[in-house]
Amino acid sequence: MTRGLIWATAEDLAKNRGKVLSLYRQILRSLNSPALPLNLASRLQKKAEVRAMFMLGSEEQSIHNIQDLIDAAEYSLSILKKGELP
């Protein structure tokens, strides 16, 4: 991302697109893990929460906020891979 600018340009958003889609898919897949203590209804509810978070995050225009959201998603994914709920 370009340093010194506060708002993301179309180029910045395009650079993050692949990473964000990958994180989204990995988090949804991780919620299907049998290591998580969730029943079907809880899994569906968690997936709906993830979808809502990514939908709200897609409207973000600040470079710093976008990076914070990506960092939070990576952290949540690492917790899910350990078999815990973030």
Side-chain angles (χ1 to χ4, degrees):
M1 287 191 224
T2 310
R3 297 290 175 211
L5 297 175
I6 296 174
W7 304 111
T9 63
E11 181 182 333
D12 293 329
L13 297 175
K15 287 180 187 176
N16 288 324
R17 182 176 166 80
K19 185 179 214 174
V20 171
L21 286 174
S22 175
L23 283 169
Y24 175 70
R25 290 180 185 132
Q26 288 180 50
I27 289 172
L28 288 179
R29 274 191 226 119
S30 295
L31 287 172
N32 286 330
S33 171
L36 293 175
L38 297 173
N39 60 25
L40 178 62
S42 297
R43 286 181 201 282
L44 293 175
Q45 188 247 346
K46 288 290 184 189
K47 287 181 180 183
E49 287 177 14
V50 169
R51 285 185 193 102
M53 284 185 235
F54 274 83
M55 289 290 273
L56 290 173
S58 70
E59 298 172 4
E60 187 56 57
Q61 293 297 315
S62 166
I63 290 175
H64 303 292
N65 290 348
I66 291 170
Q67 190 58 47
D68 287 344
L69 291 170
I70 290 172
D71 291 342
E74 289 172 343
Y75 176 74
S76 296
L77 182 59
S78 70
I79 297 295
L80 284 169
K81 286 184 177 182
K82 292 178 186 175
E84 301 172 9
L85 291 173

